[in-house]
Amino acid sequence: MRILLIGGGGREHALAWKLAQSDKVEKIFAAPGNPGIGLIKKCSCIDLKLDDLEKVADYAEEESIDLTVVGPEATLVAGIADVFKRRGLPVFGPSKAAARLEGSKAFSKELMAKYNIPTAFFKICEDMETAKAYVKEKGAPIVVKADGLAAGKGVVVAMTEAEALEAIEEMMGDHKFGSAGSCIVLEEYMEGEEASLLAFTDGKTVVPMLAAQDHKRIYDNDKGPNTGGMGTYAPAPVMTDILRLKATERILKPVVAAMAKEGTPYQGCLYAGLMIKDDVIKVVEFNCRFGDPETQVVLPLLESDLADIMLACATGTLEQADVSWSDKAAVCVVMASGGYPGSYETGKPISGLSAAGNKENTVVFHAGTKNVNGNIVTAGGRVLGVTAVDDNIRAARDRAYEAVENIKFDGAFYRKDIAWRALKR
Ligand code: AMP
Ligand code: GLY
């Protein structure tokens, strides 16, 4: 199988790493890929403009690509799957209409309301007066969300009315997120513990993965501003087998069925961000792609052939695919540039990558790195995701931190408490 992989972050490194383990995969072209992906034997990083989707499809035809796997939401929301499908090219990832589950929070909330899928109460507001009046009526805490894609920054959990009003002013008045904030969703504040449950689907069959837990805040003890995710572990014990089954039956399967019923079948990876409290599960959000860094802990625990599963999703045969999981645990510690998620410097040389990566049951996924004359330097906020697998979460965590200690770069920052909720249990 020849695969085209779109994207170049830690998530895509994990996808490439797992796909390359398949005997059936002969070659992976990653656009743009990253230096970590470039080190995988079967992988080549290519320079392909992603703004012209017809040209991307031309490339897939010229290179006799059997399957295209799309990592980032922006490319899916832009409609890459529609172009590929029209041209008869197998692609893993939802169509533009189906990707609205992530691309428009208003769409996703209305769909959940229509099909009785459990989520927080909400109001969709298209003008500032309505939004402000609703906040004054409901009071705080309240959650303010920009409707469109805002690179993970479009959600404000306001603990006071003033914070909520300020967020509305920024999104709708100052257009902080451009057109993404011209419509907003105001949402009831939910308490509980979060988990990410991702699923494979071909539009009919839904197969959940192992639940993972992300650590969104920058500092230990979940303090400080939100980030893209500072570390993950799987399986997350908050999601017991019974709750996972419940989430599958009450949330994942109904959403996929709803999308089919609406005439916009959903195919690819469906990511459900869930809030769990006293065995009640509600949806926080849907994403139309794999999570980052959830993928870096979920895929190392997948025992089946990822290329087979993805091709089965793309061709509507997931029911026949084998999807089995290891009973081990994985922990990923993200190493970030000092200053992230605010401003940070780049170009810092990184040492110790092979010492860390050569350790047993350890993989160093590249997220924001660059190769400058043979030296790997930092090139982003989240730089690396160091994943280790072991018999249980505690052992996997210790193994991951042991590897992290080998890696040095100027200003390197990472959380010291990844998996604390699991270990506290
Ligand atoms: P989202 O981008 O929708 O995942 O939101 C980012 C983060 O904001 C989530 O991971 C939650 O921690 C938090 N959040 C979003 N919606 C709510 C809500 N209704 N209640 C409490 N926290 C929320
Ligand atoms: N780690 C959160 C996300 O991928 O959206």
Side-chain angles (χ1 to χ4, degrees):
M1 215 189 289
R2 291 163 69 79
I3 293 180
L4 172 61
L5 171 64
I6 307 293
R11 165 183 53 207
E12 287 77 20
H13 189 175
L15 287 165
W17 171 84
K18 186 65 197 174
L19 286 166
Q21 289 171 12
S22 164
D23 292 337
K24 292 173 194 152
V25 172
E26 167 207 332
K27 183 87 204 150
I28 301 168
F29 300 91
N34 67 37
I37 295 175
L39 287 176
I40 300 172
K41 236 193 259 152
K42 293 178 185 174
C43 294
S44 299
C45 297
I46 57 166
D47 185 20
L48 190 59
K49 294 264 168 305
L50 298 175
D51 46 9
D52 188 339
L53 298 172
E54 297 291 346
K55 289 228 170 82
V56 180
D58 289 345
Y59 180 88
E61 270 172 10
E62 285 156 20
E63 287 294 337
S64 313
I65 297 295
D66 301 295
L67 175 68
T68 297
V69 175
V70 188
E73 63 274 16
T75 315
L76 291 162
V77 169
I80 188 169
D82 305 72
V83 173
F84 273 60
K85 204 153 179 232
R86 175 166 43 75
R87 293 177 54 169
L89 298 162
V91 57
F92 179 91
S95 67
K96 184 176 186 156
R100 277 184 302 166
L101 266 188
E102 173 168 3
S104 165
K105 295 205 190 278
F107 170 82
S108 124
K109 293 298 283 190
E110 279 177 334
L111 188 91
M112 285 187 264
K114 181 169 172 189
Y115 289 90
N116 241 323
I117 292 162
T119 188
F121 288 114
F122 67 99
K123 183 173 176 70
I124 295 166
C125 303
E126 304 204 37
D127 67 86
M128 204 145 60
E129 286 63 47
T130 315
K132 286 183 173 172
Y134 186 81
V135 165
K136 284 177 189 147
E137 180 198 328
K138 293 286 171 188
I142 193 164
V143 183
V144 183
K145 300 187 173 185
D147 172 53
L149 291 184
K153 300 195 174 93
V155 174
V156 176
V157 179
M159 297 317 281
T160 65
E161 220 176 276
E163 269 177 82
L165 295 173
E166 191 188 320
I168 292 169
E169 191 67 50
E170 280 180 359
M171 289 182 196
M172 304 190 97
D174 308 339
H175 308 286
K176 190 174 173 188
F177 304 116
S179 61
S182 58
C183 169
I184 64 169
V185 177
L186 296 174
E187 217 177 84
E188 166 205 8
Y189 172 76
M190 294 186 284
E191 276 179 0
E193 189 172 336
E194 283 181 74
S196 309
L197 185 61
L198 284 62
F200 294 109
T201 179
D202 61 0
K204 309 180 294 267
T205 302
V206 179
V207 182
M209 304 186 206
L210 294 177
Q213 191 169 64
D214 191 6
H215 299 63
K216 293 212 161 113
R217 306 296 191 100
I218 183 77
Y219 300 127
D220 283 12
N221 303 314
D222 297 325
K223 296 274 176 348
N226 261 318
T227 68
M230 293 301 292
T232 39
Y233 64 91
V238 61
M239 187 73 81
T240 58
D241 288 347
I242 289 175
L243 285 179
R244 184 156 159 268
L245 187 69
K246 195 164 156 185
T248 305
E249 297 302 323
R250 285 284 288 119
I251 294 165
L252 297 172
K253 286 185 180 174
V255 175
V256 170
M259 293 301 281
K261 187 145 186 247
E262 295 289 317
T264 52
Y266 187 100
Q267 177 270 115
C269 174
L270 175 62
Y271 170 135
L274 303 171
M275 190 70 84
I276 302 166
K277 184 158 193 276
D278 304 331
D279 289 355
V280 175
I281 311 180
K282 290 184 182 174
V283 176
V284 178
E285 62 163 348
F286 287 118
N287 291 322
C288 65
R289 46 152 178 97
F290 279 89
D292 191 344
E294 284 88 340
T295 310
Q296 291 89 314
V297 288
V298 170
L299 292 186
L301 300 175
L302 177 66
E303 286 187 333
S304 314
D305 185 318
L306 180 62
D308 275 346
I309 299 170
M310 289 182 145
L311 191 63
C313 288
T315 54
T317 56
L318 183 59
E319 203 184 8
Q320 290 140 41
D322 164 51
V323 185
S324 48
W325 301 95
S326 143
D327 56 10
K328 293 188 181 290
V331 171
C332 173
V333 178
V334 169
M335 299 185 74
S337 297
Y340 172 79
S343 61
Y344 51 83
E345 289 176 14
T346 57
K348 311 289 184 195
I350 308 172
S351 67
L353 284 171
S354 20
N358 289 335
K359 287 184 180 294
E360 213 182 331
N361 298 329
T362 306
V363 204
V364 180
F365 294 116
H366 289 227
T369 68
K370 209 163 97 179
N371 187 330
V372 178
N373 306 321
N375 298 312
I376 305 294
V377 303
T378 66
R382 291 190 293 173
V383 177
L384 301 165
V386 181
T387 294
V389 175
D390 213 316
D391 290 339
N392 55 57
I393 288 177
R394 186 177 298 278
R397 183 214 45 186
D398 291 347
R399 196 182 277 282
Y401 278 111
E402 225 174 84
V404 163
E405 275 165 24
N406 286 268
I407 301 172
K408 308 272 179 241
F409 56 88
D410 207 14
F413 177 83
Y414 57 91
R415 274 180 66 160
K416 313 281 188 294
D417 66 343
I418 299 306
W420 72 269
R421 281 181 204 272
L423 297 176
K424 206 177 115 189
R425 274 167 187 262

